[in-house]
Amino acid sequence: MQWKNILKFRMLIPVFVVLALILPWAAARSIAADTGTHVDNADLSKDADSVLVVMDIDATTEDLGDDDGLPDECTGPCNAAEPTYPTIFSNGGLGNVTMYSTAASNGGACNYGTTGVMYYAAMSVNVLPGDAQAQWQGGRICGQCAAVTALTSQGPKTVVVRIMDKCYDTYCGIDIGGDAPAQIMLDGFGRYTGKWLFVSCDGHPEVSDGSPTLDIFNGSNPWWSRVHVRNGPAATDIIKWQDKTGTTNGEFPYAADPENSFEVPVSEVLQSASSSFLITVYYVDGTTATVTLSPSQLAAASASYPLN
């Protein structure tokens, strides 16, 4: 009889192995459902073209409300919060608020060059390490403003910043710089529990160093030109062109190389015989701005043109 019992036990071993593999996975999925934690890349998949249409982001969670997300108080030193992966929403996110500079922004990965902006931030590239599923999305978030809140020993404190850079760091939520850290990090510089809500830049002169302009990238010429918007009211959604002397029209495709740039079509615009084009910028908040330029102006390296 003993050998029969041993045989039965050996036949059950594969069942035990399968249960050992399935039960932890099921538990993790259950916890994620209860807490909103993202546990795999499939849960985080988004359309790259819509993700930085900030108010229309194809996220896996609903909008973040003004009163959502933050605990009532810090569980330890407020400037030494536990590192956490960000949770992103269509209109902002929850996660760590950190700082990386107290100087004016140097334009960062948004390629603005030297600026006088003292209220700025770097946006997270990843949710989980290396997945590129956070809100940077190749620079499409550049120029967007965010109201960043950090939980301090004196309660939640908020400051408005413009996104001008990217943050690759593991556990990066939003990384602020300039004068912004001192405004909300009341317990000393460090890592705080916080959140950010995307807002209009209008009414916040501290996030700009001038009026909105359409800037031509350094190195542009009649055969290659890239443009972007500086000091706009929100991130740029699309840029359209219209031949003012004819009927042709189209869009400047988002280039992403360099990041935060739109490509000026060569044959249709840069090499066109037309004398002028109406350029219309469409921001993610639904507002627009225009400027009329010639092909040579659109090819003029480092030029800057006011937007109306």
Side-chain angles (χ1 to χ4, degrees):
M1 295 298 292
Q2 185 176 5
W3 68 269
K4 291 183 178 180
N5 290 334
I6 293 174
L7 180 61
K8 290 178 180 179
F9 177 77
R10 293 183 63 183
M11 292 175 65
L12 289 173
I13 288 177
V15 176
F16 295 149
V17 172
V18 171
L19 290 173
L21 292 173
I22 290 177
L23 289 176
W25 175 86
R29 297 293 293 185
S30 177
I31 291 170
D34 290 341
T35 64
T37 303
H38 301 295
V39 295
D40 59 39
N41 288 350
D43 290 338
L44 300 168
S45 61
K46 284 174 277 294
D47 178 74
D49 289 331
S50 68
V51 71
L52 32 28
V53 181
V54 179
M55 310 305 173
D56 225 5
I57 185 173
D58 182 16
T60 58
T61 51
E62 59 188 23
D63 285 355
L64 177 65
D66 290 337
D67 300 323
D68 294 341
L70 292 183
D72 293 333
E73 60 184 20
C74 305
T75 57
C78 292
N79 64 341
E82 179 182 357
T84 59
Y85 296 125
T87 301
I88 61 173
F89 296 79
S90 61
N91 60 341
L94 291 169
N96 290 154
V97 176
T98 51
M99 62 86 62
Y100 70 109
S101 176
T102 57
S105 171
N106 64 1
C110 289
N111 292 296
Y112 293 124
T114 301
T115 82
V117 177
M118 292 296 294
Y119 287 80
Y120 59 91
M123 192 77 257
S124 50
V125 174
N126 303 312
V127 174
L128 301 177
D131 68 1
Q133 292 298 311
Q135 291 158 323
W136 172 252
Q137 293 295 316
R140 294 301 303 267
I141 197 72
C142 284
Q144 180 61 45
C145 283
V148 180
T149 300
L151 184 62
T152 79
S153 60
Q154 300 178 40
K157 301 298 178 182
T158 302
V159 67
V160 175
V161 296
R162 185 186 293 274
I163 297 166
M164 304 178 75
D165 206 350
K166 63 183 176 182
C167 179
Y168 271 116
D169 299 348
T170 302
Y171 306 118
C172 184
I174 192 165
D175 204 19
I176 60 178
D179 290 337
Q183 298 299 311
I184 62 174
M185 294 183 170
L186 304 187
D187 300 282
F189 295 153
R191 182 184 300 273
Y192 286 72
T193 296
K195 66 178 181 180
W196 53 97
L197 287 167
F198 298 129
V199 298
S200 174
C201 301
D202 283 346
H204 298 283
E206 68 276 13
V207 303
S208 301
D209 60 357
S211 299
T213 57
L214 184 73
D215 289 3
I216 314 299
F217 271 62
N218 184 34
S220 292
N221 58 68
W223 298 100
W224 182 96
S225 181
R226 299 288 188 271
V227 303
H228 66 197
V229 174
R230 180 165 171 166
N231 295 321
T236 302
D237 186 6
I238 56 176
I239 300 178
K240 294 185 178 182
W241 59 270
Q242 169 72 53
D243 184 347
K244 295 194 71 174
T245 62
T247 59
T248 57
N249 60 80
E251 293 185 10
F252 290 176
Y254 188 72
D257 183 19
E259 292 178 304
N260 186 31
S261 71
F262 291 80
E263 176 185 353
V264 182
V266 176
S267 61
E268 297 171 299
V269 178
L270 292 176
Q271 293 294 314
S272 171
S274 176
S275 60
S276 63
F277 290 87
L278 175 65
I279 311 301
T280 304
V281 174
Y282 293 79
Y283 298 107
V284 298
D285 63 0
T287 61
T288 62
T290 62
V291 62
T292 297
L293 300 172
S294 66
S296 61
Q297 287 175 308
L298 286 164
S302 302
S304 181
Y305 306 104
L307 286 164
N308 302 313

